[in-house]
Amino acid sequence: SAVISQKPSRDICQRGTSLTIQCQVDSQVTMMFWYRQQPGQSLTLIATANQGSEATYESGFVIDKFPISRPNLTFSTLTVSNMSPEDSSIYLCSVEEVPTSAYNEQFFGPGTRLTVL
Amino acid sequence: GNSVTQMEGPVTLSEEAFLTINCTYTATGYPSLFWYVQYPGEGLQLLLKATKADDKGSNKGFEATYRKETTSFHLEKGSVQVSDSAVYFCAPPMGNTNAGKSTFGDGTTLTVKP
């Protein structure tokens, strides 16, 4: 299993500023995923981050708002840009079990709780 | 593509009560299915999984059977505890969903009262 850490664990930010969230995995993984979990709701996939290529964004999410970096196989960052109160959410990083497995279990980081004032 | 539909609405039970949280799936073939749990203030973690039709996953007293005849993967526990209070998510595997999108269930919040 993979162990994932995220920084910061929580933050309170002002409208119009940006926050970069870091995700560190204890093993090399091909794909990393960024989710948003708004209060009382399920997870929504923001984008898939592959090392060495541009992130793939889901419908409703754009690179200008959520730029992602993936400099190596164990690390990724998600930036929430020009924040508004609607961006208040928990942001979760996850990785998939080794692609050769048939099970495709996901491992999640503890999340970053963001509050935008 | 594959997706799951999870029962909506919070569930409140007394300790030692029986729990069922419904989940049905729409799939091409028989992909693995998962239940994840999110305890208060924490990230998601895998609770149990079933990798093929008619398989049963179990962990911490929770069980779910992958039933192809009813396309269901309901989560059950015979006697819940206060410590089971959490949000439970049903999910298909990441790699087999529409356009790579992981379609988690909506999540069911379980509150167990002493």
Side-chain angles (χ1 to χ4, degrees):
Chain A
S1 64
V3 177
I4 304 171
S5 60
Q6 284 185 236
K7 290 182 182 178
S9 58
R10 58 179 62 231
D11 206 343
I12 300 173
C13 301
Q14 296 297 319
R15 181 195 300 261
T17 62
S18 298
L19 175 71
T20 296
I21 302 168
Q22 300 179 8
C23 178
Q24 180 75 53
V25 188
D26 69 343
S27 58
Q28 294 185 338
V29 293
T30 303
M31 292 193 292
M32 297 175 75
F33 307 97
W34 286 99
Y35 288 87
R36 181 173 72 185
Q37 184 180 23
Q38 293 181 307
Q41 297 189 22
S42 186
L43 280 69
T44 302
L45 183 64
I46 297 172
T48 302
N50 297 322
Q51 194 269 338
S53 64
E54 292 286 331
T56 302
Y57 289 83
E58 299 298 317
S59 176
F61 298 96
V62 295
I63 188 171
D64 290 346
K65 175 66 176 178
F66 296 101
I68 288 172
S69 78
R70 184 77 200 275
N72 57 53
L73 292 174
T74 63
F75 187 78
S76 177
T77 67
L78 170 75
T79 298
V80 186
S81 304
N82 188 24
M83 289 184 285
S84 67
E86 292 71 34
D87 294 320
S88 297
S89 187
I90 298 173
Y91 291 85
L92 293 157
C93 169
S94 82
V95 304
E96 190 176 25
E97 192 174 15
V98 290
T100 53
S101 166
Y103 305 151
N104 302 112
E105 172 186 345
Q106 288 189 72
F107 301 96
F108 287 86
T112 296
R113 186 179 297 271
L114 170 63
T115 302
V116 183
L117 303 178
Chain B
N2 304 326
S3 62
V4 296
T5 301
Q6 190 173 338
M7 69 181 286
E8 298 177 5
V11 175
T12 301
L13 297 173
S14 298
E15 209 165 21
E16 299 183 1
F18 183 85
L19 168 71
T20 300
I21 301 177
N22 291 337
C23 173
T24 56
Y25 66 87
T26 302
T28 302
Y30 302 106
S32 302
L33 295 172
F34 305 88
W35 277 100
Y36 291 88
V37 59
Q38 185 177 32
Y39 296 104
E42 300 183 15
L44 275 73
Q45 57 185 275
L46 180 70
L47 177 61
L48 56 82
K49 64 185 177 188
T51 58
K52 59 184 184 296
D54 300 323
D55 197 17
K56 176 187 284 188
S58 61
N59 185 27
K60 299 181 180 180
F62 290 88
E63 292 184 341
T65 301
Y66 191 151
R67 299 192 186 279
K68 61 182 179 182
E69 64 275 11
T70 55
T71 63
S72 66
F73 192 55
H74 304 326
L75 182 68
E76 297 180 336
K77 186 172 185 179
S79 177
V80 294
Q81 305 300 311
V82 173
S83 58
D84 294 327
S85 297
V87 184
Y88 293 83
F89 294 93
C90 185
M94 187 70 199
N96 289 320
T97 52
N98 289 326
K101 184 175 184 177
S102 181
T103 311
F104 274 71
D106 290 336
T108 300
T109 300
L110 170 65
T111 302
V112 181
K113 297 186 174 181

